[in-house]
Amino acid sequence: MRAPLSWLREYVDLPASETGRDVAARLIAAGLEVETVEQTGAGLKGPLVVGQVLAIEELKDFKKPIRYCQVDVGRGADDPQNIVCGATNFAVGDKVVVVLPGAVLPGGFEISARKTYGHVSEGMICSERELGMGEDHDGIMVLPPEHEVGTDAIELLELVDEVLDIAVTPDRGYCLSMRGLAREAATAYGMPLRDPALLDVPAPNAHGYPVKVADRLGCDRFTARTVTGLRPEAQSPIWLKRRLQKAGMRPVSLPVDITNYVMLELGQPLHAYDRSRIEGAIGVRRAEDGEKLITLDGTKRVLAPDDLVITDDRGPIGLAGVMGGANTEIADGGTAPGTTDVVIEAAHFDSVSVARTARRHKLSSEASRRFERGVDPAAAAAAAQRTVDLLVLLAGGTAEPGVTEITTPSGPHTVLIDADHPDKVAGVGYGRETVVRRLQQVGCDVYGQDELTVTVPSWRPDLTDPNDLAEEVIRLEGYENLPSTLPRPLPGRGLTERQRLHRRVGRALAGAGYVEALSYPFVGDAVFDALGLDAGDPRRRTVQLVNPLSDEEPGLRTTLLPGLLATLRRNDGRGSHDLALFETGQVFLPTGSETTPERLPVTQRPSEEQLSSLDAALPEQPRHLAVVLAGARERAGWWGKGRPADWADAVEAARTVAAETGVELTLESASFAPWHPGRCAALHVQLDGEKVLAGHAGELHPRAVKALGLPERTCAMELDLDLVERAAAGPVRGPHVSAFPVATQDVALVVDASVPAAEVESALRAGAGELLESLRLFDVFTGEQLGAGRKSLAYALRFRAPDRTLKAEEASAVRDAAVAEAVERTGAVLRGA
């Protein structure tokens, strides 16, 4: 919601010294999200005046139309300003905006007299974009004829202002209007509010336009008013256009601009129908399956039975709360006769119904945004009256005496709350008087002493329970005034072993240079196609959401890679090329045995059987860990050459995770999408005496890299963290550090090229026994001297005893035992022997 400060001041007497940033700070303290404060007309310097075109000379010697104009700028017709202009949409006698020499336009564009196209141009005739009013640059801005020549255009066009851009959260729908924002500003400054909805509204009668509401749940209030005798040639005044432009809306025509203006002012979406194009009574009902409607955007839409529609005798004429139909559109008097009689609709539609219709048709509008977040149903009659008043005032219309108002009776919503409930929630002693005062400031009626009965105002449908009311008290008292205190766990309580493991793993990866990233858990078939998963791959079987945020991603993830790779691609596209990211999170794996859960009542706690049935309806949700790498793993510098990330780094990340759990990983060569078949390792752990697959690591397949737009040679690893945790023998113990010196022995073994290094390493560990402290592969060599299909693996073995210094004979004996075990298991040959 874009809120011009000058408009806000009409409803609240803000101190004259308060700037837009000052007001933004007050609103932020009250819990609103003010994203920016835009300075319109920043750097603008006069003189800018209203001028009248006296004469136009067409210059014919140029490739494009050029005009040499004489313009009266308030010094009289005998002393005109000579200006060269390339626009052709104005004529002699038109009023235009003239920028005189010495002025500065937005963007620091200085105006001076200069010679161009063979004539001296003494200023400039401006378009809307040159004045910073909008993006319209097709022609000169022509003003209404009633403005006097020489009038200051800066003040006339309200070019200098401050606009607050506010991100309205879903629970603050009332702030999608100047009325709602003014109420917040009035509370923040302790000032009275001039409510623009306080209007004299005539009582409903039987003479209004006929309306039939068939679905009272979808539409609980419908107000219709009629205005006749509009002047088709009437244009929106400058002040109205400027307020719409500052609020981010494009002026269209006077009736449409008025409905948009009232919507911005009061928060009530409205629609104006051309009365001559409506046949019969207006109706509200659910659409019939297969019905069609062409909306105002020119799109032909096939309606669903859940769509709430506005109808006449012919059928649907609008999607209720979303967008009107083209067959009753207001005519602007261009190629067709202009609209003279209109019917104003001000209705209140069910928020869920509007939201589903907008998403179903991928049609988000200003009206649907407001209805989805909650519109004040009591404001419909006032909004209709305000629209009628403006049409009469600006378009010369006549308000018909008939007033149609259909309402579904409903009582006010009340909430019972203990007077000290906000104190308990915030941990601050506010006291009853403060609680009552703050609730009254948001429009609530409060009665009672220890237990308060709170009647919620109609414009706050989000206030439904005591915690909502406590939040209002806390935010108005100031979040910054809450004490910063850590919760105190009960004795013996704290992090679980699982939580400790996840923290250790995160710290270990962060220490290895990885950055944690969190991604959305939603996926679609397109990303599985890009990853190269086969049609029968179990990862394609996803849990489908009933109401997804995007139709392209309707399922819950079965792997962490899509979200993590999307994060890597986004960061690489923004200039960060050396990346190492990790994420831990749940994946959702349907087994096919899930049951359909029953809908439980909210009036009582579910039984144990009901809770069990709900658990049975859930898919498996193991916690996975994944890493992705691209670019340089070690950067080049004065210390030497750098090194790009490769598949071995992804494997090492898995080893780092396993080390934190005390689990030994076994590696095998594998072929598994989306990894490169020649650079993919299957990661196994020992669970209950059996080798179990826990994940994969390696370099991604080039086809997947290309399909996802990733950097070349991108590597990744994904591991089932829950499975690794179950494979752990118990809580991880810190290593015992011996005070005795280490004995290092190197050994190089020649094996067949098909023998995995991990198998040789496992044999060496088994043969060395307890005296082996660590083992590291530091060289791999192939060459003609070894023979075809052979490779040399060089290992550094570190031996240490916990209670003594090893003798050379002992270290050599352990080394020989390790080599002997490797020779027996893998057929290795000691190099150089």
Side-chain angles (χ1 to χ4, degrees):
M1 175 70 187
R2 291 171 56 84
L5 187 59
S6 60
W7 195 355
L8 195 62
R9 290 182 184 275
E10 283 197 4
Y11 312 123
V12 184
D13 289 326
L14 300 176
S17 60
E18 290 290 278
T19 66
R21 294 192 179 278
D22 296 331
V23 176
R26 293 290 189 105
L27 295 179
I28 291 173
L32 295 179
E33 298 180 13
V34 183
E35 295 188 332
T36 60
V37 179
E38 179 184 334
Q39 304 282 338
T40 63
L44 181 64
K45 178 183 176 183
L48 275 76
V49 298
V50 175
Q52 184 172 22
V53 180
L54 301 177
I56 298 176
E57 178 185 353
E58 306 285 350
L59 304 182
K60 304 293 187 180
D61 299 331
F62 304 98
K63 294 182 180 180
K64 61 180 181 178
I66 299 296
R67 294 171 139 192
Y68 186 54
C69 309
Q70 292 183 344
V71 184
D72 180 7
V73 294
R75 298 196 296 248
D78 297 333
D79 188 15
Q81 206 81 2
N82 299 310
I83 300 175
V84 175
C85 183
T88 59
N89 67 312
F90 63 97
V92 173
D94 282 346
K95 301 286 182 64
V96 293
V97 178
V98 179
V99 186
L100 300 177
V104 179
L105 291 179
F109 183 52
E110 298 182 1
I111 304 299
S112 61
R114 61 189 182 92
K115 188 171 183 179
T116 179
Y117 295 102
H119 295 77
V120 175
S121 183
E122 301 170 330
M124 186 169 72
I125 306 176
C126 294
S127 67
E128 287 190 2
R129 190 170 73 177
E130 289 162 343
L131 294 173
M133 296 172 56
E135 293 301 318
D136 189 0
H137 196 58
D138 295 336
I140 291 304
M141 180 181 180
V142 179
L143 300 174
E146 63 267 18
H147 298 295
E148 294 185 6
V149 172
T151 301
D152 184 358
I154 296 178
E155 182 178 350
L156 174 67
L157 300 177
E158 302 177 10
L159 297 179
V160 179
D161 202 350
E162 293 181 277
V163 180
L164 283 66
D165 192 352
I166 302 171
V168 179
T169 53
D171 62 330
R172 298 286 178 84
Y174 67 98
C175 287
L176 286 171
S177 68
M178 295 303 301
R179 181 194 184 201
L181 293 175
R183 182 176 285 111
E184 289 295 322
T187 302
Y189 281 92
M191 298 285 186
L193 170 70
R194 289 189 290 273
D195 191 345
L198 294 179
L199 302 173
D200 291 331
V201 179
N205 53 58
H207 308 296
Y209 198 90
V211 175
K212 300 177 181 178
V213 179
D215 191 329
R216 291 297 183 93
L217 294 178
C219 176
D220 59 6
R221 186 179 296 261
F222 196 108
T223 300
R225 300 288 299 275
T226 304
V227 181
T228 60
L230 302 181
R231 291 184 285 108
E233 71 280 2
Q235 299 293 318
S236 299
I238 289 177
W239 66 266
L240 178 58
K241 288 184 177 180
R242 290 297 293 134
R243 288 193 171 177
L244 292 176
Q245 289 171 335
K246 292 176 186 178
M249 302 190 74
R250 181 177 60 88
V252 179
S253 63
L254 180 56
V256 175
D257 291 350
I258 288 175
T259 57
N260 287 335
Y261 176 83
V262 175
M263 177 185 68
L264 292 172
E265 184 179 49
L266 302 181
Q268 168 67 53
L270 302 109
H271 191 72
Y273 300 94
D274 188 328
R275 183 175 181 178
S276 65
R277 305 175 74 178
I278 302 176
E279 294 185 8
I282 293 177
V284 183
R285 60 170 172 82
R286 298 289 172 175
E288 297 177 4
D289 193 17
E291 278 190 307
K292 296 178 176 59
L293 170 68
I294 300 177
T295 48
L296 287 173
D297 60 356
T299 302
K300 187 175 184 179
R301 304 184 185 277
V302 179
L303 306 180
D306 286 340
D307 291 333
L308 192 66
V309 293
I310 310 298
T311 65
D312 65 2
D313 290 350
R314 297 166 298 180
I317 59 174
L319 279 175
V322 181
M323 185 174 287
N327 55 348
T328 56
E329 182 180 8
I330 297 291
D332 59 6
T335 57
T339 297
T340 59
D341 301 340
V342 297
V343 177
I344 305 300
E345 165 208 307
H348 184 260
F349 301 112
D350 176 59
S351 59
V352 174
S353 175
V354 172
R356 288 177 175 172
T357 297
R359 290 186 182 181
R360 183 181 301 113
H361 294 280
K362 298 181 175 63
L363 185 62
S364 179
S365 64
E366 291 289 340
S368 67
R369 287 181 60 217
R370 285 164 172 80
F371 279 120
E372 288 173 18
R373 289 161 174 79
V375 170
D376 181 5
Q385 182 62 44
R386 177 69 164 145
T387 305
V388 169
D389 292 343
L390 289 174
L391 285 171
V392 172
L393 176 66
L394 303 177
T398 300
E400 293 292 306
V403 177
T404 302
E405 186 167 338
I406 299 176
T407 59
T408 300
S410 61
H413 178 63
T414 59
V415 179
L416 296 179
I417 178 175
D418 292 335
D420 61 349
H421 182 69
D423 303 13
K424 296 176 181 178
V425 173
V428 176
Y430 293 123
R432 179 187 177 280
E433 291 185 3
T434 299
V435 171
V436 171
R437 175 170 56 86
R438 289 304 189 184
L439 292 178
Q440 288 174 340
Q441 285 180 332
V442 299
C444 298
D445 291 331
V446 185
Y447 304 96
Q449 292 298 320
D450 294 337
E451 185 180 54
L452 304 179
T453 301
V454 181
T455 302
V456 176
S458 59
W459 60 82
R460 293 301 302 270
D462 59 298
L463 303 181
T464 59
D465 58 58
N467 285 331
D468 294 329
L469 300 178
E471 180 187 358
E472 293 300 300
V473 174
I474 296 168
R475 75 176 181 89
L476 293 179
E477 283 295 303
Y479 292 120
E480 71 278 6
N481 296 323
L482 294 177
S484 298
T485 56
L486 294 175
R488 296 181 179 180
L490 297 174
R493 302 289 180 89
L495 298 178
T496 64
E497 286 299 324
R498 185 187 192 199
Q499 291 170 331
R500 294 180 188 277
L501 169 64
H502 293 162
R503 289 197 176 188
R504 286 201 311 274
V505 167
R507 283 195 295 265
L509 289 175
Y514 289 84
V515 177
E516 186 172 13
L518 300 177
S519 55
Y520 283 117
F522 310 121
V523 294
D525 290 337
V527 72
F528 294 141
D529 296 338
L531 290 173
L533 306 189
D534 294 335
D537 195 302
R539 287 171 290 177
R540 283 184 174 270
R541 189 169 65 246
T542 60
V543 177
Q544 297 293 302
L545 299 174
V546 175
N547 192 21
L549 292 177
S550 169
D551 291 340
E552 297 178 357
E553 295 178 331
L556 291 174
R557 66 189 177 192
T558 55
T559 166
L560 298 181
L561 291 182
L564 205 51
L565 291 173
T567 302
L568 183 139
R569 179 181 65 245
R570 184 165 56 251
N571 282 271
D572 180 74
R574 295 178 179 178
S576 299
H577 303 301
D578 302 329
L579 297 163
L581 309 175
F582 81 95
E583 179 178 8
T584 58
Q586 289 176 311
V587 298
F588 307 87
L589 307 176
T591 61
S593 61
E594 291 85 5
T595 60
T596 301
E598 61 174 314
R599 284 189 174 273
L600 302 180
V602 297
T603 56
Q604 61 186 18
R605 186 184 186 279
S607 65
E608 294 299 327
E609 293 77 11
Q610 290 174 325
L611 291 175
S612 298
S613 68
L614 291 180
D615 288 338
L618 297 176
E620 293 184 3
Q621 301 176 50
R623 185 173 293 271
H624 280 203
L625 179 143
V627 305
V628 293
L629 304 101
R633 187 67 179 130
E634 296 176 3
R635 295 187 178 182
W638 58 266
W639 51 85
K641 295 182 179 179
R643 180 180 67 82
D646 60 18
W647 64 271
D649 293 303
V651 173
E652 185 60 28
R655 292 183 185 275
T656 300
V657 174
E660 290 298 319
T661 62
V663 172
E664 182 178 350
L665 281 181
T666 304
L667 277 66
E668 293 182 0
S669 179
S671 177
F672 189 73
W675 282 273
H676 193 297
R679 302 184 184 123
C680 174
L683 310 173
H684 295 86
V685 296
Q686 289 291 328
L687 184 62
D688 298 331
E690 297 183 2
K691 187 170 67 172
V692 180
L693 179 65
H696 293 83
E699 181 181 319
L700 295 184
H701 198 289
R703 284 197 295 269
V705 169
K706 182 178 180 181
L708 293 170
L710 302 172
E712 293 183 0
R713 311 299 292 271
T714 296
C715 301
M717 180 275 290
E718 185 165 12
L719 198 62
D720 187 332
L721 199 56
D722 285 352
L723 184 62
V724 173
E725 183 182 2
R726 292 201 303 273
V732 178
R733 305 298 180 185
H736 174 74
V737 179
S738 174
F740 296 94
V742 66
T744 302
Q745 296 274 350
D746 293 346
V747 60
L749 300 174
V750 179
V751 296
D752 288 339
S754 60
V755 177
E759 186 176 338
V760 178
E761 178 180 329
S762 176
L764 290 172
R765 289 185 183 277
E770 295 181 355
L771 292 180
L772 179 65
E773 183 179 83
S774 67
L775 181 151
R776 179 174 63 87
L777 175 66
F778 67 87
D779 184 55
V780 179
F781 174 76
T782 58
E784 295 180 357
Q785 57 269 48
L786 297 178
R790 307 281 283 175
K791 64 182 178 182
S792 171
L793 304 176
Y795 292 91
L797 292 79
R798 291 167 57 91
F799 302 103
R800 195 192 317 250
D803 56 352
R804 69 188 187 281
T805 299
L806 290 176
K807 296 180 180 180
E809 295 81 6
E810 290 181 286
S812 297
V814 176
R815 169 185 175 273
D816 292 342
V819 171
E821 184 70 18
V823 170
E824 181 179 349
R825 287 193 185 185
T826 66
V829 176
L830 188 65
R831 187 175 176 186

